[in-house]
């Protein structure tokens, strides 16, 4: 039987530089130069979006090689590169490397999903890895072992790909020289096989990171093939020193747990839940928009934050009585941060004051006192309000999502549904 060695690497970067994917691509090049090829694409796995010590997108990297007479050399290469390139000066950079040479078990898969849904301690990850017979390498606190093991173990029933192109180190921290027109052309030709390239509503080039990391751009897709064409189409006027395609769980909604009632949700979890809109969405100072949804088990405040820009306008179309399914996560203030919602039912009725026999619209006769006609004095009861159907700006069974510029790595865009 063919045996493999799984290698997981995480927590090597800091907000000031490096990127675990770049380090992985350096390792992969070194392995290749020693005649060690990867089996399948390297994997970039996004974990719990609420993890406290993440640098940006909480991504861990893993890859797989044959477990043959070169594994010791491969392990040496991995550890040397992690030691050489990690941002050790940053307090929050605590690299971890895991080597595993067995089969992926269902217990490991459960662990990986927990790393997406919950928080895991370094000790727990260490003990679990040891119980599996993994070789575990902790640098400083070694927090990276949590993500390293999860990125080895996560099953990818759905996956996407990302091509990452890397800059020359001389250019780190400087403005990226990408020809934006060529990105628009690439998007026109390759969407929806590639996606998340551009946020048209904000005129925002999403393939370009805004941090001083080694990434020049990242193009996301459903298949690896289209990425070669996309890379040819994107024109840049600075050197690309390396590039690498990763298989990922990005944009799969793997972080979302479907629950049947609001009270089943916990803080720092990501869910899809159905509820009835309780009140008209309101915008507060700072531009954040909030409203409540409710069901028989309780209620929760939902938020569409300022960075979601025009999405707030869509949210403002919601009315009390509408039934929606919201997708998102419960953050710091126990508010459900909406990534997208699906309309299940629309409340398209408003109740108007009745019209009197004389043709004039009646007015309220006081609280709970029904209606009266100012012209002829006629009176009607409280229940005599007249239902009137109204036009709505939302459609039943349609999804509405945050713009590309505000989208989470794990969030599945409508174009992938
Ligand atoms: P980048 O996306 O730029 O590579 P990052 O946002 O992935 O950076 P890391 O440097 O990987 O950030 O830091 C995230 C840390 O959180 C890692 O040490 C990882 O092991 C840890 N971590 C990941 N998932 C969990 C979890 N569920 N519970 C606790 N810690 C976690």
């Amino acid at each position: 039987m063919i045996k493999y060695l799984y290698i997981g690497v995480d927590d090597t970067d800091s907000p000031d530089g490096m990127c675990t994917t770049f380090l992985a691509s350096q390792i992969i090049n070194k392995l290749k130069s020693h005649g060690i090829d990867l089996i399948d694409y390297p994997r970039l796995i996004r974990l719990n979006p609420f993890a406290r010590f993440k640098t940006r997108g909480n991504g861990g990297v893993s890859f797989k090689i044959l477990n043959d007479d070169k594994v010791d050399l491969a392990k040496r290469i991995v550890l040397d590169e992690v030691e050489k390139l990690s941002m050790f000066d940053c307090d929050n950079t605590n690299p971890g490397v895991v080597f595993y040479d067995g089969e992926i078990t269902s217990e490991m898969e459960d662990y990986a999903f927990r790393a997406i849904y919950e928080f895991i301690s370094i000790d727990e990850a260490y003990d679990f890895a040891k119980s599996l017979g993994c070789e575990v390498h902790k640098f400083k606190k070694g927090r990276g072992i949590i993500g390293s093991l999860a990125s080895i173990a996560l099953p990818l029933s759905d996956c996407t790909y990302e091509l990452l192109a890397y800059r020359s180190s001389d250019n780190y921290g400087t403005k990226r020289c990408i020809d934006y027109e060529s990105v628009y052309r690439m998007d026109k030709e390759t969407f929806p096989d590639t996606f998340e390239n551009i946020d048209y509503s904000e005129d925002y080039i999403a393939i370009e990171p805004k941090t001083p990391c080694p990434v020049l751009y990242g193009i996301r897709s459903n298949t690896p093939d289209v990425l070669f064409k996309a890379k040819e189409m994107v024109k840049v006027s600075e050197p690309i020193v390396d590039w690498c395609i990763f298989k990922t769980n990005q944009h799969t909604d793997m972080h979302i747990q479907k629950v049947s009632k609001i009270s089943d949700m916990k803080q720092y979890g990501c869910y899809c839940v159905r509820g009835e809109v309780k009140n008209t969405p309101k915008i507060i100072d700072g531009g954040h928009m909030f409203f409540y949804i409710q069901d028989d088990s309780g209620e929760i405040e939902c938020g569409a934050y300022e960075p979601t820009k025009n999405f707030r306008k869509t949210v403002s179309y919601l009315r009390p009585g509408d039934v929606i399914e919201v997708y998102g996560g419960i953050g710091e203030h126990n508010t459900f941060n909406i990534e997208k919602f699906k309309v299940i039912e629309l409340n398209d009725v408003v109740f108007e004051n009745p019209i009197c026999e004389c043709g004039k619209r009646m007015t309220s006769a006081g609280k709970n006192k029904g209606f009266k006609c100012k012209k002829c004095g006629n009176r009607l009861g409280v229940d005599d309000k007249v239902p009137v159907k109204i036009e709505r700006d939302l459609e039943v069974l349609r999804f509405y999502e945050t713009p590309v510029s505000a989208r989470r790595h794990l969030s599945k865009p409508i174009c992938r549904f």
Side-chain angles (χ1 to χ4, degrees):
M1 199 174 92
I2 303 173
K3 285 189 132 195
Y4 300 108
L5 178 76
Y6 294 87
I7 300 165
V9 181
D10 196 8
D11 210 346
T12 63
D13 55 7
S14 81
D16 298 328
M18 191 35 66
C19 167
T20 305
T21 69
F22 178 64
L23 199 152
S25 109
Q26 297 296 99
I27 293 173
I28 293 164
N29 292 343
K30 274 253 159 77
L31 292 174
K32 264 196 199 131
S33 71
H34 286 86
I36 304 169
D37 287 321
L38 298 202
I39 314 283
D40 202 358
Y41 288 94
R43 297 163 26 118
L44 165 58
I45 303 298
R46 301 288 177 181
L47 300 165
N48 191 336
F50 290 112
R52 259 185 72 208
F53 297 101
K54 66 179 185 169
T55 312
R56 285 174 287 267
N58 197 11
V61 169
S62 69
F63 42 90
K64 176 168 138 183
I65 59 172
L66 277 184
N67 190 354
D68 58 16
D69 55 351
K70 285 189 174 161
V71 283
D72 287 337
L73 172 64
K75 287 178 183 173
R76 196 63 264 150
I77 290 172
V78 173
L79 296 173
D80 283 352
E81 290 300 302
V82 170
E83 227 155 300
K84 198 169 85 192
L85 295 174
S86 297
M87 302 292 282
F88 286 108
D89 288 347
C90 172
D91 280 351
N92 268 344
T93 299
N94 292 285
V97 174
V98 173
F99 298 120
Y100 175 64
D101 63 5
E103 297 285 305
I104 306 292
T105 62
S106 59
E107 229 188 336
M108 291 172 76
E109 295 183 350
D110 291 348
Y111 165 88
F113 278 110
R114 284 194 44 232
I116 297 179
Y117 298 152
E118 299 167 20
F119 299 125
I120 291 177
S121 70
I122 303 174
D123 286 348
E124 183 190 343
Y126 185 83
D127 292 345
F128 182 54
K130 280 292 177 191
S131 76
L132 297 167
C134 297
E135 194 180 312
V136 181
H137 294 266
K138 289 158 86 182
F139 298 82
K140 291 167 65 186
K141 290 182 187 146
R143 182 172 292 109
I145 63 169
I146 303 168
S148 298
L149 185 55
S151 63
I152 287 174
L154 186 78
L156 287 178
S157 53
D158 182 16
C159 72
T160 62
Y161 295 82
E162 179 161 6
L163 183 151
L164 288 153
Y166 301 107
R167 321 180 73 186
S168 155
S169 56
D170 304 337
N171 290 325
Y172 291 174
T174 62
K175 179 160 174 30
R176 289 165 172 85
C177 299
I178 300 173
D179 172 5
Y180 291 167
E181 289 304 315
S182 74
V183 182
Y184 280 91
R185 283 195 297 275
M186 180 277 283
D187 186 67
K188 287 253 145 49
E189 282 231 2
T190 61
F191 179 87
D193 290 342
T194 69
F195 49 84
E196 308 279 300
N197 298 315
I198 294 165
D199 185 332
Y200 284 93
S201 62
E202 295 294 315
D203 215 7
Y204 169 88
I205 303 288
I207 68 166
E208 176 186 11
K210 303 294 173 280
T211 56
C213 70
V215 176
L216 177 59
Y217 62 73
I219 307 173
R220 299 176 175 198
S221 69
N222 286 315
T223 62
D225 296 349
V226 68
L227 292 172
F228 297 97
K229 177 177 175 184
K231 178 173 178 292
E232 282 310 303
M233 294 195 72
V234 173
K235 302 294 172 213
V236 297
S237 50
E238 65 169 83
I240 292 178
V241 294
D242 194 14
W243 58 276
C244 189
I245 295 177
F246 289 85
K247 192 171 184 174
T248 89
N249 65 339
Q250 292 173 160
H251 306 299
T252 60
D253 268 356
M254 247 179 218
H255 60 316
I256 300 285
Q257 303 173 72
K258 209 159 174 125
V259 287
S260 54
K261 48 185 199 290
I262 288 173
S263 62
D264 282 347
M265 300 191 294
K266 289 193 234 133
Q267 192 179 23
Y268 301 125
C270 296
Y271 302 96
C272 167
V273 70
R274 188 177 285 206
E276 183 186 310
V277 175
K278 187 180 169 190
N279 62 314
T280 306
K282 282 195 186 68
I283 203 150
I284 62 157
D285 284 351
H288 311 307
M289 179 168 274
F290 297 102
F291 64 98
Y292 280 83
I293 58 165
Q294 59 189 5
D295 67 9
D296 292 341
S297 75
E299 61 180 38
I300 188 158
E301 187 180 45
C302 296
Y305 291 87
E306 191 282 331
T308 66
K309 303 288 174 198
N310 273 343
F311 178 64
R312 292 168 301 165
K313 177 140 199 207
T314 312
V315 168
S316 75
Y317 296 145
L318 289 167
R319 296 186 67 221
D322 288 345
V323 178
I324 57 174
E325 258 171 20
V326 284
Y327 292 69
I330 304 180
E332 216 182 326
H333 305 290
N334 257 314
T335 297
F336 191 100
N337 185 345
I338 310 174
E339 292 171 14
K340 58 180 168 270
F341 68 88
K342 183 179 177 185
V343 175
I344 306 298
E345 279 170 41
L346 283 175
N347 171 15
D348 58 0
V349 171
V350 288
F351 286 89
E352 291 183 349
N353 291 0
I355 310 274
C356 178
E357 287 164 5
C358 70
K360 193 166 168 62
R361 188 168 298 279
M362 298 174 93
T363 55
S364 169
K367 201 166 180 217
N368 294 327
K369 286 189 181 147
F371 303 94
K372 66 172 187 241
C373 176
K374 276 190 176 158
K375 192 169 160 201
C376 52
N378 271 350
R379 284 187 170 263
L380 282 175
V382 215
D383 299 332
D384 289 316
K385 273 207 165 197
V386 187
V388 178
K389 222 169 150 57
I390 50 162
E391 281 298 314
R392 296 294 308 272
D393 292 307
L394 300 168
E395 283 171 40
V396 173
L397 297 185
R398 192 170 152 189
F399 277 99
Y400 296 89
E401 64 186 345
T402 50
V404 172
S405 58
R407 198 160 303 147
R408 280 220 170 102
H409 292 297
L410 276 163
S411 194
K412 186 165 167 173
I414 294 166
C415 69
R416 290 204 72 239
F417 270 78

